[in-house]
Amino acid sequence: MSIIEAIIFGIVQGLTEFLPISSTAHIVITQLILGTPFPGLTFEIYLHIASVLAVMIYFRKDLIEVIIGFFSYFKTRSKKNRVHFLFGIYILIATVITGVLGMLLKDFVGDSMKTPPFIASALIVTGLGLIFIERVHQYGARTEKDMNFFDAIVVGLGQTLAVLPGISRSGATLITALLVGLERDTAVRYSFLLVIPVILGSTVLAVGDVSKEVFSAIGTPALIISFITTFIFSWLGIIWLIDFLKRSKLIYFAIYCFAAAIFVYFFLDVTTIIDI
């Protein structure tokens, strides 16, 4: 892999990981356009680690607050610690649901789904979900302290849909979190914090599938550049999305998903199957 290609993959992964437009779909599209396939999930997992590192550092105060509050609740059962304790439980519940169902669906999600037509269809589904939650469903006003186990289960189930190429993880969690009545800031925060255990967990489970040959083929310089680029643009993507959602609508991401779906279906080889 050339340095230019490494930078491009890093930018694509970084910018799309947290936007509700499916990073997996965009990595596949980038592979098709550049003609630079990489077998297995090794390189994609590597890039995801850079993204989750950006989230952990950006939300370090929230993360530390939840962790400290979670364990402090066992000693000091204060109201504040109880909120953090339950929020940590809700993160764990959604993560476990996603992990278990993801493993069960692993064999079902085969190469037949890693084609431009399927990805285009999934992007359309993501766009329709964003339109529904923006135009049809009314925003709720429930915050972190108002959350319950049902919320975590629904969001966990929604997050599981992201195993399908083209279904956005952040989009699925945002849509389901807003669907159960969480207010926007809480839904965004929950979505961002959920990505940490999900990516770290999937990385641990995929350790056995990591291929040294892929890393050797890509090359050390490209690996370093792609990691740094992904981290930087993941950070920028987080800042931009949070600011964007404060003053604008999810409908614009839906329009983008439709445009991307049209491009994928009509301008990429519909017979191509990406080995990722």
Side-chain angles (χ1 to χ4, degrees), residues 57-76:
I57 295 176
Y58 186 87
F59 285 96
R60 60 190 180 279
K61 292 182 180 179
D62 299 82
L63 192 57
I64 292 172
E65 189 176 56
V66 171
I67 293 174
I68 292 177
F70 181 90
F71 289 105
S72 296
Y73 183 68
F74 292 104
K75 295 182 179 180
T76 307

